[in-house]
């Protein structure tokens, strides 16, 4: 039986409209996004199969197109729908740290960085630029790819900091493996960046490494 053949009010879209999105299960929410299933399996069946295969929403949304499209009933169109949904969520989260907002709560920064970076299937190296009062100037994704000493250029960071007239910086990057524990390479990169910023009298407040549901702070460990 397709969802359209269900009694009125029992389909996930009807349930969302009558009771609110928060009342839907993960599979039901995915079904609303996907809209259709395949012969013999409705959208909820396909959604449950996806969730079981990847082990949850976070790993599903961070999976690559080939990985997602191997699921029966899922092709490029449905993959695009999922990615558009994920990007909308990131942009909404991005608005939570508006230009000029003062960073007085570490949990706000953690939540923001988790929403921006935790579900990426590739490494992202980014800067949170602040003024002398620790008000947000801009969040900048500097580059994507493997994070190592050869790929991180402190001079590029210094140039950006000078361009934006920042007085303090929080460096961050993610580990797509989900393990937030910093590597020795991460520590070497941090020292190079800190030394470069000191030449222009700019403070490196922290380097946060984002994993799956966890963030490790260099400042909290006393490494900065």
């Amino acid at each position: 039986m397709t969802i359209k053949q269900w009694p009125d009010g029992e389909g996930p879209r009807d349930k969302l409209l009558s009771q609110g999105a928060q009342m839907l299960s993960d599979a039901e929410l995915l079904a609303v996004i996907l809209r259709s299933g395949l012969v013999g399996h409705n959208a909820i069946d396909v959604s449950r199969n996806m969730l079981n295969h990847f082990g949850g929403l976070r790993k599903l949304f961070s999976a690559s197109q080939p990985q997602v499209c191997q699921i029966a009933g899922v092709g490029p169109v449905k993959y695009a729908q999922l990615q558009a949904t994920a990007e909308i969520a990131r942009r909404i989260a991005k608005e939570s740290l508006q230009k000029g907002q003062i960073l007085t709560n570490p949990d706000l920064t953690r939540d923001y960085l988790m929403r921006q970076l935790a579900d990426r299937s590739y490494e992202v190296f980014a800067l949170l630029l602040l003024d002398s009062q620790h008000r947000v100037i801009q969040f900048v994704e500097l580059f994507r790819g493997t994070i190592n000493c050869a790929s991180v250029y402190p001079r590029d960071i210094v140039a950006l900091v000078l361009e934006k007239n920042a007085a303090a910086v929080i460096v961050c990057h993610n580990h797509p493996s989900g393990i937030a524990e910093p590597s020795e390479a991460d520590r070497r990169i941090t020292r190079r960046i800190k030394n470069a910023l000191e030449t222009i009298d700019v403070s490196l407040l922290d380097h946060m490494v984002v994993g799956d549901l966890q963030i490790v702070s260099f400042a909290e460990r006393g490494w900065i």
Side-chain angles (χ1 to χ4, degrees), residues 179-223:
I179 301 173
E181 187 62 32
S183 65
E184 181 56 37
D186 294 335
R187 298 186 67 173
R188 289 197 300 269
I189 290 167
T190 305
R191 289 193 291 268
R192 292 176 61 212
I193 294 172
K194 184 175 186 292
N195 292 337
L197 291 175
E198 285 176 347
T199 65
I200 57 172
D201 198 27
V202 171
S203 301
L204 178 62
L205 300 181
D206 206 345
H207 184 170
M208 293 186 170
V209 182
V210 181
D212 189 4
L213 302 178
Q214 181 188 15
I215 291 182
V216 172
S217 163
F218 276 49
E220 290 181 354
R221 292 196 174 183
W223 294 347

Short mmCIF file of all heavy atoms in Angstrom, two decimals, residues 179-223:
data_model
loop_
_atom_site.label_atom_id
_atom_site.label_comp_id
_atom_site.label_asym_id
_atom_site.label_seq_id
_atom_site.Cartn_x
_atom_site.Cartn_y
_atom_site.Cartn_z
N ILE A 179 36.09 11.05 14.98
CA ILE A 179 36.93 11.06 16.19
C ILE A 179 37.56 12.44 16.32
O ILE A 179 38.35 12.86 15.48
CB ILE A 179 38.02 9.98 16.10
CG1 ILE A 179 37.38 8.60 15.95
CG2 ILE A 179 38.92 10.03 17.33
CD1 ILE A 179 38.37 7.50 15.68
N ALA A 180 37.23 13.15 17.38
CA ALA A 180 37.66 14.55 17.52
C ALA A 180 39.06 14.70 18.09
O ALA A 180 39.60 15.81 18.09
CB ALA A 180 36.66 15.31 18.41
N GLU A 181 39.66 13.63 18.56
CA GLU A 181 40.97 13.74 19.19
C GLU A 181 42.00 14.34 18.22
O GLU A 181 42.21 13.83 17.12
CB GLU A 181 41.45 12.36 19.64
CG GLU A 181 42.73 12.38 20.44
CD GLU A 181 42.59 13.15 21.75
OE1 GLU A 181 41.47 13.15 22.33
OE2 GLU A 181 43.58 13.75 22.19
N PRO A 182 42.63 15.47 18.60
CA PRO A 182 43.60 16.13 17.71
C PRO A 182 44.84 15.25 17.48
O PRO A 182 45.27 14.51 18.35
CB PRO A 182 43.97 17.40 18.48
CG PRO A 182 42.86 17.61 19.45
CD PRO A 182 42.40 16.24 19.83
N SER A 183 45.39 15.38 16.29
CA SER A 183 46.61 14.67 15.94
C SER A 183 47.81 15.54 16.27
O SER A 183 47.69 16.74 16.57
CB SER A 183 46.62 14.33 14.45
OG SER A 183 46.67 15.52 13.68
N GLU A 184 48.99 14.96 16.19
CA GLU A 184 50.21 15.74 16.39
C GLU A 184 50.34 16.79 15.30
O GLU A 184 50.82 17.90 15.55
CB GLU A 184 51.42 14.81 16.39
CG GLU A 184 52.74 15.54 16.63
CD GLU A 184 52.77 16.35 17.92
OE1 GLU A 184 52.18 15.89 18.93
OE2 GLU A 184 53.37 17.45 17.92
N ALA A 185 49.89 16.46 14.08
CA ALA A 185 49.90 17.45 12.99
C ALA A 185 49.01 18.63 13.32
O ALA A 185 49.35 19.78 13.03
CB ALA A 185 49.46 16.79 11.68
N ASP A 186 47.85 18.38 13.94
CA ASP A 186 46.96 19.46 14.35
C ASP A 186 47.66 20.39 15.34
O ASP A 186 47.51 21.61 15.28
CB ASP A 186 45.69 18.90 15.01
CG ASP A 186 44.81 18.13 14.04
OD1 ASP A 186 44.90 18.39 12.83
OD2 ASP A 186 44.04 17.27 14.50
N ARG A 187 48.43 19.81 16.25
CA ARG A 187 49.13 20.62 17.25
C ARG A 187 50.24 21.44 16.61
O ARG A 187 50.46 22.61 16.97
CB ARG A 187 49.68 19.72 18.36
CG ARG A 187 48.59 18.98 19.13
CD ARG A 187 49.13 18.20 20.31
NE ARG A 187 49.66 19.10 21.34
CZ ARG A 187 50.07 18.69 22.54
NH1 ARG A 187 50.01 17.40 22.85
NH2 ARG A 187 50.55 19.56 23.41
N ARG A 188 50.93 20.86 15.63
CA ARG A 188 51.99 21.61 14.94
C ARG A 188 51.40 22.77 14.15
O ARG A 188 51.94 23.89 14.16
CB ARG A 188 52.77 20.68 14.01
CG ARG A 188 53.67 19.68 14.73
CD ARG A 188 54.69 19.09 13.76
NE ARG A 188 54.05 18.38 12.67
CZ ARG A 188 53.76 17.08 12.69
NH1 ARG A 188 54.02 16.36 13.76
NH2 ARG A 188 53.19 16.51 11.65
N ILE A 189 50.30 22.52 13.47
CA ILE A 189 49.64 23.58 12.71
C ILE A 189 49.23 24.72 13.63
O ILE A 189 49.40 25.90 13.31
CB ILE A 189 48.40 23.01 11.97
CG1 ILE A 189 48.84 22.07 10.85
CG2 ILE A 189 47.55 24.14 11.41
CD1 ILE A 189 47.71 21.25 10.29
N THR A 190 48.68 24.35 14.78
CA THR A 190 48.22 25.37 15.74
C THR A 190 49.38 26.25 16.20
O THR A 190 49.24 27.48 16.30
CB THR A 190 47.56 24.69 16.95
OG1 THR A 190 46.51 23.83 16.49
CG2 THR A 190 46.97 25.73 17.89
N ARG A 191 50.52 25.64 16.49
CA ARG A 191 51.68 26.42 16.92
C ARG A 191 52.13 27.38 15.82
O ARG A 191 52.48 28.54 16.10
CB ARG A 191 52.82 25.48 17.33
CG ARG A 191 52.57 24.73 18.63
CD ARG A 191 53.85 24.07 19.14
NE ARG A 191 54.27 22.97 18.27
CZ ARG A 191 53.92 21.69 18.45
NH1 ARG A 191 53.11 21.36 19.44
NH2 ARG A 191 54.39 20.76 17.64
N ARG A 192 52.13 26.93 14.58
CA ARG A 192 52.53 27.78 13.46
C ARG A 192 51.57 28.96 13.30
O ARG A 192 52.00 30.10 13.09
CB ARG A 192 52.58 26.98 12.16
CG ARG A 192 53.70 25.93 12.11
CD ARG A 192 53.61 25.12 10.84
NE ARG A 192 53.75 25.97 9.66
CZ ARG A 192 53.15 25.74 8.50
NH1 ARG A 192 52.33 24.70 8.37
NH2 ARG A 192 53.35 26.54 7.48
N ILE A 193 50.29 28.69 13.41
CA ILE A 193 49.29 29.76 13.27
C ILE A 193 49.41 30.75 14.42
O ILE A 193 49.37 31.97 14.22
CB ILE A 193 47.87 29.16 13.21
CG1 ILE A 193 47.69 28.32 11.94
CG2 ILE A 193 46.82 30.27 13.26
CD1 ILE A 193 46.41 27.54 11.89
N LYS A 194 49.55 30.23 15.63
CA LYS A 194 49.68 31.11 16.81
C LYS A 194 50.89 32.01 16.67
O LYS A 194 50.81 33.24 16.93
CB LYS A 194 49.79 30.26 18.07
CG LYS A 194 49.83 31.05 19.38
CD LYS A 194 49.81 30.09 20.57
CE LYS A 194 49.71 30.86 21.88
NZ LYS A 194 50.92 31.65 22.17
N ASN A 195 52.03 31.46 16.25
CA ASN A 195 53.24 32.26 16.08
C ASN A 195 53.07 33.32 15.00
O ASN A 195 53.53 34.46 15.15
CB ASN A 195 54.43 31.36 15.74
CG ASN A 195 54.84 30.47 16.90
OD1 ASN A 195 54.56 30.77 18.05
ND2 ASN A 195 55.50 29.36 16.59
N ALA A 196 52.39 32.96 13.92
CA ALA A 196 52.18 33.92 12.82
C ALA A 196 51.27 35.06 13.27
O ALA A 196 51.52 36.23 12.95
CB ALA A 196 51.58 33.20 11.62
N LEU A 197 50.22 34.73 14.03
CA LEU A 197 49.29 35.76 14.48
C LEU A 197 49.93 36.68 15.51
O LEU A 197 49.59 37.88 15.59
CB LEU A 197 48.02 35.12 15.06
CG LEU A 197 47.11 34.42 14.05
CD1 LEU A 197 45.95 33.73 14.75
CD2 LEU A 197 46.56 35.42 13.02
N GLU A 198 50.85 36.16 16.29
CA GLU A 198 51.53 36.99 17.29
C GLU A 198 52.35 38.09 16.64
O GLU A 198 52.54 39.16 17.24
CB GLU A 198 52.42 36.12 18.18
CG GLU A 198 51.63 35.30 19.20
CD GLU A 198 52.52 34.37 20.01
OE1 GLU A 198 53.70 34.19 19.61
OE2 GLU A 198 52.04 33.82 21.02
N THR A 199 52.81 37.87 15.41
CA THR A 199 53.61 38.89 14.72
C THR A 199 52.77 40.11 14.36
O THR A 199 53.32 41.18 14.10
CB THR A 199 54.24 38.32 13.44
OG1 THR A 199 53.22 37.96 12.50
CG2 THR A 199 55.10 37.11 13.75
N ILE A 200 51.44 39.95 14.31
CA ILE A 200 50.56 41.09 14.02
C ILE A 200 49.69 41.44 15.23
O ILE A 200 48.67 42.12 15.11
CB ILE A 200 49.68 40.83 12.77
CG1 ILE A 200 48.84 39.56 12.95
CG2 ILE A 200 50.54 40.75 11.51
CD1 ILE A 200 47.80 39.36 11.85
N ASP A 201 50.07 40.91 16.42
CA ASP A 201 49.41 41.23 17.68
C ASP A 201 47.93 40.82 17.67
O ASP A 201 47.06 41.57 18.12
CB ASP A 201 49.54 42.73 17.98
CG ASP A 201 49.27 43.03 19.46
OD1 ASP A 201 49.49 42.12 20.29
OD2 ASP A 201 48.83 44.15 19.77
N VAL A 202 47.66 39.64 17.13
CA VAL A 202 46.30 39.09 17.12
C VAL A 202 46.29 37.81 17.94
O VAL A 202 47.19 36.98 17.83
CB VAL A 202 45.82 38.80 15.68
CG1 VAL A 202 44.51 38.02 15.68
CG2 VAL A 202 45.65 40.11 14.91
N SER A 203 45.28 37.64 18.78
CA SER A 203 45.20 36.49 19.69
C SER A 203 44.55 35.29 19.01
O SER A 203 43.51 35.42 18.36
CB SER A 203 44.39 36.85 20.93
OG SER A 203 44.97 37.94 21.62
N LEU A 204 45.17 34.13 19.18
CA LEU A 204 44.52 32.88 18.81
C LEU A 204 43.86 32.34 20.07
O LEU A 204 44.52 31.88 21.00
CB LEU A 204 45.55 31.87 18.27
CG LEU A 204 44.99 30.50 17.88
CD1 LEU A 204 43.97 30.63 16.76
CD2 LEU A 204 46.11 29.54 17.49
N LEU A 205 42.54 32.45 20.12
CA LEU A 205 41.81 32.08 21.33
C LEU A 205 41.67 30.57 21.50
O LEU A 205 41.68 30.06 22.62
CB LEU A 205 40.42 32.72 21.32
CG LEU A 205 40.37 34.24 21.26
CD1 LEU A 205 38.92 34.71 21.27
CD2 LEU A 205 41.14 34.86 22.40
N ASP A 206 41.54 29.87 20.38
CA ASP A 206 41.30 28.44 20.50
C ASP A 206 41.44 27.78 19.13
O ASP A 206 41.39 28.44 18.09
CB ASP A 206 39.89 28.16 21.04
CG ASP A 206 39.77 26.82 21.76
OD1 ASP A 206 40.68 25.98 21.61
OD2 ASP A 206 38.78 26.64 22.47
N HIS A 207 41.66 26.49 19.17
CA HIS A 207 41.56 25.64 17.99
C HIS A 207 40.61 24.52 18.39
O HIS A 207 40.90 23.76 19.32
CB HIS A 207 42.92 25.08 17.59
CG HIS A 207 42.88 24.27 16.32
ND1 HIS A 207 44.02 23.85 15.67
CD2 HIS A 207 41.85 23.80 15.57
CE1 HIS A 207 43.69 23.17 14.58
NE2 HIS A 207 42.37 23.11 14.51
N MET A 208 39.46 24.44 17.73
CA MET A 208 38.46 23.45 18.06
C MET A 208 38.40 22.40 16.96
O MET A 208 38.28 22.73 15.78
CB MET A 208 37.09 24.09 18.26
CG MET A 208 37.01 24.99 19.49
SD MET A 208 35.33 25.58 19.79
CE MET A 208 35.53 26.32 21.42
N VAL A 209 38.49 21.14 17.37
CA VAL A 209 38.41 20.03 16.43
C VAL A 209 37.05 19.37 16.60
O VAL A 209 36.69 18.92 17.69
CB VAL A 209 39.54 19.01 16.67
CG1 VAL A 209 39.46 17.88 15.64
CG2 VAL A 209 40.90 19.70 16.60
N VAL A 210 36.30 19.32 15.51
CA VAL A 210 34.92 18.84 15.54
C VAL A 210 34.86 17.40 15.06
O VAL A 210 35.32 17.07 13.97
CB VAL A 210 34.02 19.72 14.64
CG1 VAL A 210 32.58 19.23 14.68
CG2 VAL A 210 34.11 21.18 15.06
N GLY A 211 34.30 16.54 15.89
CA GLY A 211 34.07 15.15 15.52
C GLY A 211 32.58 14.87 15.47
O GLY A 211 31.77 15.77 15.26
N ASP A 212 32.22 13.64 15.67
CA ASP A 212 30.82 13.24 15.66
C ASP A 212 30.27 13.39 17.08
O ASP A 212 30.54 12.58 17.95
CB ASP A 212 30.70 11.79 15.19
CG ASP A 212 29.25 11.38 14.95
OD1 ASP A 212 28.36 12.23 15.07
OD2 ASP A 212 29.02 10.19 14.65
N LEU A 213 29.52 14.47 17.29
CA LEU A 213 28.90 14.78 18.58
C LEU A 213 29.90 15.17 19.65
O LEU A 213 29.58 15.15 20.83
CB LEU A 213 28.05 13.59 19.07
CG LEU A 213 26.93 13.13 18.13
CD1 LEU A 213 26.20 11.93 18.72
CD2 LEU A 213 25.95 14.26 17.84
N GLN A 214 31.12 15.54 19.27
CA GLN A 214 32.11 15.96 20.24
C GLN A 214 33.03 17.01 19.64
O GLN A 214 33.32 16.99 18.44
CB GLN A 214 32.96 14.75 20.68
CG GLN A 214 34.02 15.11 21.73
CD GLN A 214 34.97 13.95 21.99
OE1 GLN A 214 35.02 13.00 21.23
NE2 GLN A 214 35.73 14.05 23.07
N ILE A 215 33.45 17.96 20.47
CA ILE A 215 34.43 18.96 20.07
C ILE A 215 35.54 18.98 21.11
O ILE A 215 35.28 19.04 22.31
CB ILE A 215 33.79 20.36 19.95
CG1 ILE A 215 32.83 20.42 18.76
CG2 ILE A 215 34.87 21.43 19.80
CD1 ILE A 215 32.20 21.79 18.54
N VAL A 216 36.77 18.94 20.64
CA VAL A 216 37.93 19.06 21.52
C VAL A 216 38.49 20.47 21.39
O VAL A 216 38.74 20.95 20.29
CB VAL A 216 39.02 18.02 21.17
CG1 VAL A 216 40.28 18.30 21.97
CG2 VAL A 216 38.51 16.62 21.47
N SER A 217 38.67 21.14 22.53
CA SER A 217 39.18 22.50 22.58
C SER A 217 40.64 22.50 23.02
O SER A 217 40.98 21.98 24.09
CB SER A 217 38.35 23.34 23.56
OG SER A 217 39.03 24.52 23.93
N PHE A 218 41.51 23.09 22.18
CA PHE A 218 42.92 23.22 22.56
C PHE A 218 43.06 24.10 23.80
O PHE A 218 43.90 23.83 24.66
CB PHE A 218 43.72 23.82 21.40
CG PHE A 218 44.16 22.83 20.36
CD1 PHE A 218 43.28 21.92 19.82
CD2 PHE A 218 45.47 22.83 19.91
CE1 PHE A 218 43.68 21.00 18.86
CE2 PHE A 218 45.90 21.91 18.96
CZ PHE A 218 44.99 20.99 18.43
N ALA A 219 42.27 25.14 23.89
CA ALA A 219 42.37 26.06 25.03
C ALA A 219 42.04 25.34 26.34
O ALA A 219 42.71 25.52 27.36
CB ALA A 219 41.44 27.25 24.83
N GLU A 220 41.01 24.51 26.33
CA GLU A 220 40.62 23.78 27.54
C GLU A 220 41.69 22.78 27.97
O GLU A 220 41.80 22.47 29.14
CB GLU A 220 39.28 23.09 27.31
CG GLU A 220 38.10 24.05 27.23
CD GLU A 220 36.79 23.32 27.03
OE1 GLU A 220 36.79 22.08 26.84
OE2 GLU A 220 35.75 23.99 27.04
N ARG A 221 42.46 22.30 27.00
CA ARG A 221 43.54 21.35 27.32
C ARG A 221 44.83 22.05 27.67
O ARG A 221 45.83 21.41 27.97
CB ARG A 221 43.75 20.39 26.16
CG ARG A 221 42.58 19.42 25.95
CD ARG A 221 42.96 18.26 25.08
NE ARG A 221 41.89 17.29 25.00
CZ ARG A 221 41.99 16.13 24.35
NH1 ARG A 221 43.13 15.81 23.73
NH2 ARG A 221 40.97 15.31 24.31
N GLY A 222 44.83 23.37 27.60
CA GLY A 222 46.02 24.12 27.94
C GLY A 222 47.08 24.10 26.88
O GLY A 222 48.26 24.34 27.16
N TRP A 223 46.70 23.86 25.64
CA TRP A 223 47.65 23.79 24.53
C TRP A 223 47.84 25.14 23.83
O TRP A 223 48.65 25.24 22.93
CB TRP A 223 47.19 22.75 23.51
CG TRP A 223 47.22 21.34 24.03
CD1 TRP A 223 47.82 20.91 25.18
CD2 TRP A 223 46.65 20.18 23.42
NE1 TRP A 223 47.64 19.57 25.33
CE2 TRP A 223 46.94 19.08 24.27
CE3 TRP A 223 45.92 19.96 22.25
CZ2 TRP A 223 46.52 17.79 23.96
CZ3 TRP A 223 45.52 18.68 21.95
CH2 TRP A 223 45.81 17.61 22.79
#
